[in-house]
Amino acid sequence: MIIVTDGLTRKFRYNLTRSVAGAFFLFFIFFRSAFASPFSDLPPNHWATEAVLTLLQEGILKGADGQFRGEKPATRYEMAQAVVQILLYLDAHPDQVKNKQELEVLKSLAKEYRDELDGYGVRMNQVEQVLSNLWARVDEASRVKFFVHSDNVGAEMWVARKGSNFVQAFDFANGRPVGGSATTGAFGDNFFLSSRFDLDVTAPLSDDWKGGGRVSAFSGAGFNAAGDPRTYWGVTPPYLNNWWTGLAGGLPQADLERVWARYDPSDMEAIYGTYFLRSVDGSVLKEQPNPTIYGPDNIPLFGEAVRGNLTELHFPWISYEMIKARIPNQSPYITKALADETKFDLGKTVISIDFLRVDDDVQSLAAPAPVVTPLTNPFRLQSTLGTTVTSTGPQAQYSWGGKVVHRFSPTFRGTAEYAVSRYSPDTTGSLIATGAQTGHLFRVQAEGSLLERGAYSVEYISVDPTYDPYVLGYPGGAIIRNFAIWNNLPNFYFLHDSANYPQNRQGIKGNVQWNFGQPGVLLLYGSSLTQKVATAILGNGYPVYVEPVFSTSPNAALTLPLPFLSTNRGTIRQLGAMFSSQVTKRLKGDVSLALVRLLRGQDSTTLNNVNAPGFQNNWDETYTVGSVNFNYSLTRTVTAQTGISDTRLVGTQNGFPGYSMNQVSWFAGISHNLTEQAAFALEYRLYNTKEASPPFGSLYPLSSQGPFFGNSQAGYILGRLLYNF
């Protein structure tokens, strides 16, 4: 960088009082934004006003006595001062250089004022070094670049039944089936291999524009249908070839995944194809949760997106995101979404406004068709024939949201947000007579730091059961409950982020994190969320609602009548802790424990039904999971891992006493960074599952349902190879 004495720097900063109109063309090349004029002699309509104001903002020019004196001729020393200030600025902000022509102009000026620069202690070799660095950056940015990413996963999975009550083997920690098909319940040995290949191309289109695209290919062997092991444990396929988006379904093929263009001055990006949301709030819209474990938590959207800010219109504090997308759904219709967020960054306060419109495209079918609602959460709608039905017609939903985040101090900020949805179960009115339903979401949060070593967050949420009830089924189905979340419906998901904003819940959540330094980091978290509306009231009075846990039917297989619904409100309480530590220079470890308690009081009105004597429809169930994991660096590039977890689910669920399930999972693995671009990992995991739940038929004559999982031993050997170049 340029070496300038403190005294000289101060002289440039405080004594530079004017420049000349003849230099404005150079300044305008580099700087393009503007702000209000502080000078009485600078006409707002002068051709050089915008350039001058920008230079003032960046500290390159100064005025005196409230005047700029732009008509006064500049001396060679003043021009040399301006050249130095520009060099200093570009050395600190190299991204402002757009092309080689700008550097040629600056180099010519530096040569012209070589003697004056030398008088200020700035040598030509220093100038040339800065220009050389900037030249290399521009040269690098002007190239067409190719990036390749490959992800490959293969596994041998197996299940061995232990006794006659085996049903299916699942990983209790994440809800995914192990070794067999979630659709058929098959067991035995299963092998699969899956590979994904992404080729990204980026290229400069002009000084301010860049563009690019991605081609993705997928192939594999083994199971090849939604619900089979590869769909959960393999590589996440590209959107256009993904089981869970309902498209090609994992067949070997290559597709153009997306193309994009970017305008740097306003951070504007236009995309066609796949993309993740940048700013649209999760209270209104979130990407589809990804059932496949190796990949992002969510599957990207597919459609068009435009986002950026209004810097070019002199409103850099306003940013936006507008999207149009196709939403994956097992509905017979094509589901489309339009969303927008506008954000106002006012310094300490940031205000966001969101909008969403989703509808089933009635033009995609010749005639309106019904849409099936969740079996454990059936709608009860009035049809146009006067009957009660559990299916909808072509749906539509509007959602609006607003959020305010205010930073009260460097260590404390608060958030308040509100959203409302309006859901129509049949936009044609030909199948369903029930009208539109409205739901509300509200959240407030306080978060901050603790003594520079910790952080905390506490929030209150309230989400109506009628908020975002839009029926979205996974194409192919076969998604079971994730016990670790307790707010999803099997085979269905929601438009908004239901993990953080679960429907029909109100209560508090919080966490505290503390960094002990060398010993490690401790995280404590907890929540207490209660139903806003009791299940019995939902089942008897709400045509549309979402209740993800305390379902309206105790068990779908029992088909018990409505009088068994509880009039008490259920509660889910959660406590957890995790401690991670760098035990030694080579050894890292973490210990975690989570406890979830599901409670709902007995309802005396349900005790005397002849079909199920003694049925109480209460919940008193406990889910616990504890784990210990270690990573040990054998060499600089090789790491060994091992760990064990114990998961238990015991108690009374929806009136069925005696639930008792336990799973112990142990794993060992090794990973090797083969090169800077490639890595390989190998893992062996074993699951021992035991269930002591009684057959429900022995308690309730209407039921032939047996244990949910049964006794089994399952496991896999899984290898993964990643490389980038």
Side-chain angles (χ1 to χ4, degrees), residues 477-541:
I479 307 294
I480 73 159
R481 181 179 303 285
N482 184 342
F483 294 133
I485 298 178
W486 288 106
N487 54 14
N488 68 312
L489 289 170
N491 299 326
F492 290 84
Y493 71 101
F494 304 103
L495 288 166
H496 79 290
D497 182 0
S498 62
N500 289 309
Y501 306 91
Q503 288 104 322
N504 197 30
R505 296 291 181 268
Q506 61 183 2
I508 60 172
K509 299 192 291 184
N511 65 77
V512 177
Q513 180 174 299
W514 187 262
N515 189 343
F516 291 93
Q518 181 60 35
V521 178
L522 175 65
L523 173 66
L524 302 174
Y525 58 91
S527 64
S528 179
L529 301 178
T530 301
Q531 285 183 291
K532 288 198 70 176
V533 182
T535 302
I537 298 175
L538 291 174
N540 289 301

Side-chain angles (χ1 to χ4, degrees), residues 328-333 371-372 471-477 491-492:
N329 194 359
Q330 67 178 2
S331 164
Y333 301 94
V371 177
V372 177
V471 179
L472 294 172
Y474 278 97
N491 299 326
F492 290 84

Side-chain angles (χ1 to χ4, degrees), residues 111-318:
K111 287 183 177 180
E112 173 66 26
Y113 299 107
R114 177 196 301 262
D115 294 339
E116 287 78 9
L117 293 174
D118 187 69
Y120 287 125
V122 179
R123 302 292 181 256
M124 197 62 194
N125 64 330
Q126 296 170 329
V127 174
E128 291 175 348
Q129 180 61 50
V130 172
L131 292 175
S132 176
N133 294 339
L134 295 172
W135 199 288
R137 183 184 178 93
V138 172
D139 194 49
E140 176 69 16
S142 65
R143 298 176 183 173
V144 177
K145 299 179 182 179
F146 297 88
F147 304 92
V148 174
H149 171 74
S150 178
D151 194 352
N152 309 271
V153 175
E156 173 74 19
M157 312 187 82
W158 65 89
V159 180
R161 67 171 71 199
K162 300 293 183 179
S164 61
N165 67 343
F166 171 76
V167 180
Q168 171 66 330
F170 284 87
D171 184 326
F172 282 10
N174 59 41
R176 292 172 173 88
V178 179
S181 170
T183 305
T184 65
F187 65 94
D189 293 339
N190 300 301
F191 169 79
F192 72 82
L193 176 67
S194 61
S195 299
R196 174 169 177 165
F197 180 90
D198 295 323
L199 172 63
D200 286 287
V201 180
T202 63
L205 305 178
S206 68
D207 292 346
D208 294 326
W209 285 90
K210 296 183 180 68
R214 167 177 286 187
V215 175
S216 296
F218 181 85
S219 65
F223 284 87
N224 194 43
D228 289 325
R230 182 159 57 120
T231 66
Y232 292 99
W233 298 94
V235 173
T236 298
Y239 183 97
L240 296 174
N241 194 14
N242 193 311
W243 301 278
W244 308 118
T245 61
L247 299 177
L251 299 174
Q253 68 180 53
D255 297 288
L256 179 62
E257 274 287 289
R258 70 168 170 263
V259 292
W260 57 271
R262 180 184 179 87
Y263 182 63
D264 287 335
S266 60
D267 194 26
M268 191 275 284
E269 184 178 41
I271 302 171
Y272 176 76
T274 60
Y275 57 88
F276 288 98
L277 295 172
R278 178 191 290 182
S279 60
V280 171
D281 197 78
S283 63
V284 171
L285 180 63
K286 184 70 175 176
E287 302 92 346
Q288 175 189 14
N290 185 9
T292 308
I293 196 167
Y294 291 105
D297 292 337
N298 296 83
I299 298 173
L301 297 172
F302 187 91
E304 302 92 47
V306 178
R307 54 232 189 158
N309 59 56
L310 301 183
T311 298
E312 293 290 278
L313 299 177
H314 311 306
F315 300 107
W317 44 277
I318 300 178

Side-chain angles (χ1 to χ4, degrees), residues 16 41 75 81 125 268 285 290 327 574 580-581 620 715 718:
L16 181 60
D41 64 340
T75 67
Q81 289 174 336
N125 64 330
M268 191 275 284
L285 180 63
N290 185 9
I327 304 297
Q574 181 176 13
S580 58
S581 175
D620 190 354
L718 185 145

